[in-house]
Amino acid sequence: MKIVIVGGVAGGASAAARLRRLDESAEIILFERGEYISYANCGLPYYIGGEIREKSALTLQTPESFRARLNVDVRTLQEVTAIHPSEKAITIENLKTRETYRESYDVLLLSPGAAPFIPGGITGADNPRVFTLRNIPDTYRIKAFIEHEAPKRAVVAGGGYIGVEMAENLRRLGLDVTLVEMADQVIAPLDFDMAAELHRHIEQNGVRLLLNTGVREIMPQADGSLIIGLSAGDIPADLLIMSVGVTPESGLAKDAGLAVNQRGCIVVNEHMQTSAPHIYAVGDAVEVRDFVTGQKGFIPLAGPANKQGRIAADNIAGIPSTFGGTQGSAILKVFDMTAAATGVNEKTAKRLGLD
């Protein structure tokens, strides 16, 4: 059997490892458009802040170790540009040579992940001092900018996991940091009274926290700095981290005629099969079922992605296995506090009429 995997990191790499354990003779090819196939997303802000010192600590597996240990044909810097379900084939562009070619498959597994979301209508969002943080190259760019440009003032837009961790790590580097959040609290899965404890702790550690506030424009200045236009006034900055959420990278699936929901998530069944039975999908790009409410949703976390990768591998290898949904369990460090959540919060329970 020939299995082609599109995308590494949590879902794709977990599936490849599990498939090899279940089938020693299968031909497994993993395509990754970047250079890195398996890395610790959660560690990226801490490398920027200096708490993680070695680059090697970020990578869990290299393409070379994956090939040597698991006999997986890993092809990095090669982007899958089209899926042809009726022909059981994909089109690939080699990003180094710009050559294109086709590869056939018996089973295809998609693990494209999610991309940082930049709200439309924000002028100046393409400024070189505006960054997003998704992968290792993004991490290196931010760290290099800080080392070479020595910024003094940073604005972080978005009070989710990455935004709060970036605010902490930029503050750790000695920057004057402002954290801006559109909602009335950071870390949306927490109940408000718990988030209030974080608000106090964040401010006690020297981060200016602006809630119910969003970025509306980014204005470059003559000295190279920025003025960040907010819905509650303007503030100066030397760099801006946009961390206002992610959107599923489902364009390949959609173009191939696979079912996606209104949000753009790839629709899968409990076996992680898409609307094409020989194509599976896992990770941040797929629609998941909330374990508590039973509703379908979008919960882009590494834990469920790892589990989905193994479940998809089981089913591809002929072992019946199902994904029962996710509780959205997550934990993060906020300076000297730890914040964790699982299941639905009070606001969601009330909205859904749950006792």
Side-chain angles (χ1 to χ4, degrees):
M1 182 163 53
K2 182 177 180 181
I3 304 145
V4 169
I5 300 172
V6 180
V9 198
S14 295
R18 177 74 173 158
L19 278 164
R20 177 55 72 220
R21 293 187 186 102
L22 295 173
D23 188 343
E24 291 187 10
S25 63
E27 181 183 359
I28 305 171
I29 306 173
L30 191 153
F31 288 96
E32 171 57 53
R33 68 185 173 194
E35 295 180 62
Y36 305 92
I37 60 162
S38 182
Y39 54 88
N41 303 67
C42 301
L44 302 183
Y46 296 95
Y47 178 73
I48 293 168
E51 196 161 326
I52 295 175
R53 297 184 179 277
E54 300 298 327
K55 288 183 177 180
S56 58
L58 296 176
T59 52
L60 306 176
Q61 292 280 351
T62 64
E64 294 74 23
S65 68
F66 223 62
R67 290 189 197 101
R69 289 184 60 223
L70 298 169
N71 189 26
V72 172
D73 181 356
V74 179
R75 303 183 191 177
T76 55
L77 296 173
Q78 301 199 37
E79 182 173 9
V80 176
T81 56
I83 303 168
H84 315 284
S86 60
E87 304 167 50
K88 287 194 171 184
I90 57 173
T91 299
I92 306 103
E93 180 183 4
N94 185 318
L95 300 180
K96 291 176 285 189
T97 64
R98 294 299 169 184
E99 295 174 311
T100 61
Y101 65 100
R102 279 197 172 202
E103 193 72 54
S104 64
Y105 61 81
D106 295 313
V107 177
L108 178 66
L109 188 144
L110 304 176
S111 178
F117 172 67
I118 303 293
I122 297 180
T123 57
D126 57 349
N127 189 284
R129 288 174 177 256
V130 177
F131 299 90
T132 58
L133 179 60
R134 179 191 185 186
N135 52 35
I136 288 180
D138 292 342
T139 309
Y140 293 164
R141 276 193 290 272
I142 295 170
K143 192 169 180 69
F145 177 85
I146 292 170
E147 289 174 350
H148 295 143
E149 301 295 330
K152 292 180 171 56
R153 304 159 300 180
V155 172
V156 179
Y161 300 114
I162 295 293
V164 169
E165 290 173 346
M166 277 305 306
E168 174 188 341
N169 281 281
L170 291 171
R171 186 73 193 118
R172 174 189 170 96
L173 291 173
L175 277 73
D176 177 10
V177 180
T178 302
L179 178 59
V180 177
E181 169 54 50
M182 281 280 288
D184 61 356
Q185 70 170 79
V186 300
I187 313 299
L190 291 176
D191 283 333
F192 181 84
D193 53 350
M194 295 182 180
E197 295 290 330
L198 289 187
H199 298 164
R200 187 179 301 113
H201 189 65
I202 288 168
E203 290 179 320
Q204 285 172 345
N205 280 275
V207 173
R208 182 186 182 194
L209 181 60
L210 299 178
L211 300 172
N212 299 300
T213 306
V215 175
R216 54 181 175 79
E217 65 177 321
I218 300 156
M219 297 167 279
Q221 302 301 294
D223 63 356
S225 67
L226 306 172
I227 294 293
I228 311 299
L230 305 175
S231 49
D234 299 341
I235 55 174
D238 299 308
L239 82 154
L240 169 65
I241 307 289
M242 291 294 289
S243 183
V244 295
V246 295
T247 184
E249 285 234 41
S250 55
L252 264 180
K254 190 174 181 180
D255 291 346
L258 303 182
V260 298
N261 66 14
Q262 284 187 321
R263 186 163 187 169
C265 300
I266 303 170
V267 176
V268 292
N269 63 18
E270 61 184 359
H271 304 295
M272 307 313 299
Q273 280 175 303
T274 68
S275 54
H278 57 277
I279 302 178
Y280 291 74
V282 300
D284 291 353
V286 306
E287 177 186 79
V288 296
R289 187 179 71 85
D290 187 297
F291 182 81
V292 178
T293 67
Q295 294 188 334
K296 298 296 177 66
F298 177 54
I299 305 177
L301 293 168
N306 280 312
K307 188 178 290 184
Q308 291 161 12
R310 293 192 292 270
I311 288 168
D314 284 351
N315 286 289
I316 291 168
I319 301 170
S321 186
T322 59
F323 181 63
T326 179
Q327 293 171 223
S329 303
I331 187 167
L332 78 155
K333 172 182 176 292
V334 185
F335 292 99
D336 299 318
M337 290 187 102
T338 301
T342 191
V344 299
N345 58 19
E346 185 180 14
K347 186 191 302 180
T348 304
K350 284 181 174 177
R351 179 169 53 82
L352 297 175
L354 298 175
D355 186 352

